Amino acid sequence: MRPRCGGGRGRVARSPYGAPYRIAGSYHGGMRYRYSLCLALSLLMAGATAQQAPSVTVSATRDPVDKSYRNMLAGMDLFERHHALAPQATLRFLLLPRLPTTQLDGITLRVAGDTVSLPVPVAPDHSFILPRNPDAAREDAALIASRKTSTLTWRADVRSPGVPADKRRLGDLRLECLVGVEAGLLSNNTQWFTSPERVCGTPDGNYLFFAERPVFAVTLQDGERRATLPFNALYAGGTQTPATLPYCDCQVLLDRSYYAPLWDRSWSDDTLLSFDDMDGPPGPDDTSINAGYVSTTQMLSRLGPAQVVSFDSGYQMWRYTYPAIRKSEQPAEFTILFGPDGMARKARLREP
């Protein structure tokens, strides 16, 4: 089966979240086990013009998936039209690794057309601003990297001033998605991923974002309203397999990937997303685990099989769901992070 993550090939049948959801707990999927919620709770209680211009030799070989300069300019134009989502924000573009062997340090970019060769400076954080050049646009130039484009993941990077470095603003992410789709930044693009309104405005959009570090949990805060994203909003929906992962922009960034509720306008543009890292200590929202459940062997013996997502780092995320007491409610969700040694690092119980 082809992947359903942002940048995947093939037709997307439905959202990775399942049916349209409410952040307050309507995500559910994977295997459901008929363990009582009481068991879980007891477990947790323990502690010039082109016509006249001279010919220019372009040394780079144009890759079939080099980024279209015209498309990227269209993304920049869209940024201006939808600037109200992030009125004070600036737009940059960002390069991320797609393969384990990708080396971003020292990478160079240039806009290459029939007669135009325009260097594009790349900052130390591998971001860049794309200059406007009418000759390059007229020649349908390409943005060419000194690495094969198929080894890179490309994203728009929209940042409003005043947002803490360890948080993201939802309006910025909404604008990032619109620009990214319009600019054709998704790898393995398909017709589905060429409509900004469809990708960024519906639950089926599947546009992946990437945190700075491997993510254990993502929390939304909008005034007094607060909620934790469900498991199915992390790790490209938790559905990737070795066979599908090469088609996903998250190929080497799976543990940093997440979906944001871009389409849910009940969350304002000023909503802030906070990130709990995998390698950070347990936080106040996390739950202690009884000594009899601290290893993968013990957890499997006591609670049975879980939905498991494994990462190249050796870490694993396990997920159990528990049926809601009433049909109108969503199931509770218990997630555990295990280290490479098979020992639990932290856990969280998410209730509707």
Side-chain angles (χ1 to χ4, degrees), residues 90-112:
T90 57
L91 171 64
R92 298 181 69 88
F93 295 98
L94 184 65
L95 298 172
L96 296 166
R98 184 173 173 82
L99 299 177
T101 56
T102 302
Q103 295 293 326
L104 294 179
D105 291 341
I107 194 170
T108 60
L109 295 174
R110 65 167 152 178
V111 177

Side-chain angles (χ1 to χ4, degrees), residues 288-300:
S288 59
I289 303 177
N290 187 291
Y293 296 78
V294 295
S295 71
T296 54
T297 301
Q298 292 172 325
M299 192 71 69
L300 182 62

Side-chain angles (χ1 to χ4, degrees), residues 157-184:
D157 189 37
V158 176
R159 303 276 177 165
S160 290
V163 177
D166 60 343
K167 301 181 187 298
R168 294 303 314 268
R169 180 178 173 276
L170 188 57
D172 296 0
L173 298 181
R174 285 176 169 138
L175 193 47
E176 276 188 18
C177 179
L178 291 169
V179 172
V181 176
E182 184 74 8

Side-chain angles (χ1 to χ4, degrees), residues 255-290:
D255 54 2
R256 292 168 50 182
S257 64
Y258 66 96
Y259 297 110
L262 308 177
W263 56 274
D264 187 351
R265 299 305 305 187
S266 70
W267 293 96
S268 76
D269 291 333
D270 288 325
T271 299
L272 292 180
L273 284 72
S274 302
F275 303 88
D276 293 315
D277 299 337
M278 285 188 182
D279 55 0
D285 294 327
D286 297 331
T287 312
S288 59
I289 303 177
N290 187 291

Side-chain angles (χ1 to χ4, degrees), residues 30-70:
M31 303 176 69
R32 181 177 295 177
Y33 303 97
R34 293 287 177 176
Y35 298 100
S36 70
L37 184 58
C38 294
L39 174 60
L41 293 174
S42 63
L43 152 67
L44 304 171
M45 293 301 291
T49 69
Q51 214 171 24
Q52 300 298 325
S55 177
V56 176
T57 300
V58 178
S59 60
T61 300
R62 292 181 65 157
D63 191 292
V65 289
D66 285 333
K67 298 306 175 185
S68 164
Y69 183 67
R70 286 179 181 173

Side-chain angles (χ1 to χ4, degrees), residues 53-284:
S55 177
V56 176
T57 300
V58 178
S59 60
T61 300
R62 292 181 65 157
D63 191 292
V65 289
D66 285 333
K67 298 306 175 185
S68 164
Y69 183 67
R70 286 179 181 173
N71 287 348
M72 295 193 72
L73 291 181
M76 293 163 62
D77 292 340
L78 184 146
F79 173 81
E80 298 300 334
R81 295 197 303 270
H82 293 272
H83 211 168
L85 291 169
Q88 305 302 317
T90 57
L91 171 64
R92 298 181 69 88
F93 295 98
L94 184 65
L95 298 172
L96 296 166
R98 184 173 173 82
L99 299 177
T101 56
T102 302
Q103 295 293 326
L104 294 179
D105 291 341
I107 194 170
T108 60
L109 295 174
R110 65 167 152 178
V111 177
D114 295 331
T115 65
V116 173
S117 181
L118 180 66
V120 179
V122 179
D125 65 353
H126 312 124
S127 69
F128 62 94
I129 296 175
L130 188 65
R132 292 182 180 269
N133 183 287
D135 291 337
R138 183 167 53 253
E139 294 180 8
D140 194 17
L143 181 60
I144 296 178
S146 58
R147 311 284 189 270
K148 281 289 187 181
T149 304
S150 57
T151 70
L152 303 173
T153 289
W154 305 66
R155 285 295 185 269
D157 189 37
V158 176
R159 303 276 177 165
S160 290
V163 177
D166 60 343
K167 301 181 187 298
R168 294 303 314 268
R169 180 178 173 276
L170 188 57
D172 296 0
L173 298 181
R174 285 176 169 138
L175 193 47
E176 276 188 18
C177 179
L178 291 169
V179 172
V181 176
E182 184 74 8
L185 298 185
L186 298 181
S187 304
N188 305 320
N189 223 336
T190 67
Q191 184 176 359
W192 173 273
F193 290 109
T194 59
S195 169
E197 292 75 20
R198 176 184 290 178
V199 173
C200 308
T202 69
D204 296 344
N206 301 356
Y207 189 90
L208 279 176
F209 297 95
F210 301 103
E212 296 294 329
R213 301 182 60 80
V215 170
F216 171 66
V218 180
T219 302
L220 302 172
Q221 183 82 44
D222 188 9
E224 297 300 316
R225 184 185 180 193
R226 191 169 185 272
T228 299
L229 287 180
F231 183 85
N232 283 358
L234 307 179
Y235 321 127
T239 60
Q240 295 299 312
T241 67
T244 64
L245 200 55
Y247 297 98
C248 184
D249 278 346
C250 63
Q251 187 170 357
V252 296
L253 300 170
L254 184 63
D255 54 2
R256 292 168 50 182
S257 64
Y258 66 96
Y259 297 110
L262 308 177
W263 56 274
D264 187 351
R265 299 305 305 187
S266 70
W267 293 96
S268 76
D269 291 333
D270 288 325
T271 299
L272 292 180
L273 284 72
S274 302
F275 303 88
D276 293 315
D277 299 337
M278 285 188 182
D279 55 0

